[in-house]
Amino acid sequence: MDGHDKRTHKVYIISDATGATGQRVVRAALAQFANAEVTVELKPGVRDVEEVRSLVKEAGQARGTIVHTLAVPELRQIMVEEGRMHHVVTIDLMGPLVARLSDALELAPLARPGLLRQLDESYLQRIEAIDFTVRHDDGRNPEELADAELVLVGVSRTSKTPISIFLAYRGWRVANVPVIADLDPPPALSRVDRSRVVALTIDPKRLMLLRKARASRMGRRLTLHYANLEHVQRELDWAELLLRRHRWATVDVTNKSIEESAAEIIALQRRRTGGE
């Protein structure tokens, strides 16, 4: 007796992308059949009519079942026709759902393979960027500044942190470094290509008002000179000295929203990198 007579059943998972979605669904379904002898074979990256025909023929010879997540309607139709010809059960996980959603949304589907994977990769990139940005906020882990795609430099209350987080949600790995009067920035900053550094500047009087508001919220936890105009001007003069010395590009954040400042930084970086 051959393997098929021993009730070992073969399930083919056919996908035009990685097949991860089909795998999860099949394994969830098979969990309901604890004693079944089933082998699962993944066939990813199937985007050609002849590949579909060949795989259906193979499944027919193995007396197997096909579960597929093909996005292209032509391939799904070929799968149905070939399945009938070779007496293979073909289960379409994608087609019926896409059709129902198309009717409900009154929109035509894109029918492009691999979109979920692209979305997953984009999502993971944003998560990694956010994690990096949080770990490199306010001068933390300066030895890793070279790994940042963008380094924001500025005195306290120039919105370094919120702008960094906003950019991270857009997929940028951002670090930010505070400028403190009469103190040199960490040595690692001088080793970062200046095309990846942006200095944030602000009007002294506006900065004084922002600091007074913060001091009011935090009470006595801030030093008395923190919101003093003379001290503010001294910090900004020091920041100006540093940015001129290192020839960093600047973005003035005075009276700008986080979104406006971030958009200006992105535009600046695209100009500096030739639109990449």
Side-chain angles (χ1 to χ4, degrees):
M1 297 174 67
D2 62 23
H4 306 300
D5 294 329
K6 294 178 183 177
R7 297 181 180 272
T8 298
H9 190 75
K10 197 167 190 176
V11 176
Y12 292 81
I13 301 172
I14 298 176
S15 171
D16 46 28
T18 64
T21 301
Q23 274 188 309
R24 286 194 291 268
V25 173
V26 168
R27 293 198 183 284
L30 288 177
Q32 302 297 321
F33 305 93
N35 299 320
E37 294 187 21
V38 178
T39 60
V40 176
E41 189 163 333
L42 178 63
K43 302 288 185 179
V46 176
R47 301 186 181 185
D48 180 80
V49 169
E50 291 308 314
E51 284 184 280
V52 173
R53 287 178 172 149
S54 175
L55 287 170
V56 175
K57 184 177 180 180
E58 180 183 332
Q61 293 170 345
R63 301 181 190 175
T65 298
I66 289 177
V67 176
H68 66 91
T69 56
L70 298 173
V72 179
E74 180 189 4
L75 295 184
R76 294 204 301 268
Q77 183 59 36
I78 293 295
M79 180 68 76
V80 170
E81 295 171 358
E82 293 293 311
R84 289 171 181 164
M85 183 183 303
H86 294 282
H87 306 289
V88 175
V89 174
T90 62
I91 302 170
D92 183 355
L93 296 181
M94 183 71 71
L97 177 58
V98 169
R100 289 295 182 92
L101 288 175
S102 179
D103 290 340
L105 300 173
E106 298 182 354
L107 292 170
L110 295 175
R112 278 163 47 194
L115 284 180
L116 179 60
R117 181 182 180 185
Q118 292 172 28
L119 290 173
D120 285 345
E121 289 175 350
S122 176
Y123 173 77
L124 289 174
Q125 181 184 358
R126 289 198 304 274
I127 293 300
E128 290 171 0
I130 292 167
D131 177 67
F132 180 93
T133 300
V134 169
R135 288 189 293 106
H136 297 84
D137 181 43
D138 202 30
R140 292 161 58 194
N141 301 306
E143 69 280 0
E144 298 175 0
L145 283 176
D147 297 328
E149 293 177 296
L150 189 61
V151 180
L152 304 184
V153 179
V155 301
S156 174
R157 308 313 290 168
T158 49
S159 301
K160 295 186 301 298
T161 295
I163 293 173
S164 295
I165 295 298
F166 184 90
L167 290 169
Y169 273 104
R170 298 288 296 271
W172 293 72
R173 295 193 310 277
V174 186
N176 72 74
V177 178
V179 171
I180 302 172
D182 301 323
L183 290 180
D184 287 324
L189 182 58
S190 64
R191 296 192 291 270
V192 177
D193 189 325
R194 68 171 181 270
S195 68
R196 290 188 282 134
V197 181
V198 175
L200 304 181
T201 63
I202 190 170
D203 176 77
K205 291 182 179 179
R206 175 60 179 165
L207 180 57
M208 181 186 69
L209 293 175
L210 291 172
R211 288 189 173 185
K212 281 184 175 180
R214 187 187 185 200
S216 176
R217 289 195 303 271
M218 299 187 69
R220 296 182 179 178
R221 285 180 287 174
L222 294 175
T223 59
L224 293 175
H225 65 270
Y226 175 74
N228 178 274
L229 182 58
E230 183 178 344
H231 178 75
V232 164
Q233 187 63 63
R234 184 161 158 262
E235 281 197 352
L236 290 174
D237 288 345
W238 179 251
E240 179 76 14
L241 178 65
L242 289 176
L243 72 87
R244 288 182 180 277
R245 180 188 301 168
H246 295 282
R247 292 183 293 164
W248 294 326
T250 63
V251 168
D252 190 336
V253 299
T254 305
N255 296 323
K256 290 178 184 172
S257 68
I258 301 304
E259 292 84 354
E260 288 173 319
S261 298
E264 190 170 335
I265 290 168
I266 291 171
L268 170 64
Q269 290 307 101
R270 285 178 176 164
R271 289 196 301 270
R272 296 204 292 189
T273 58
E276 293 179 2

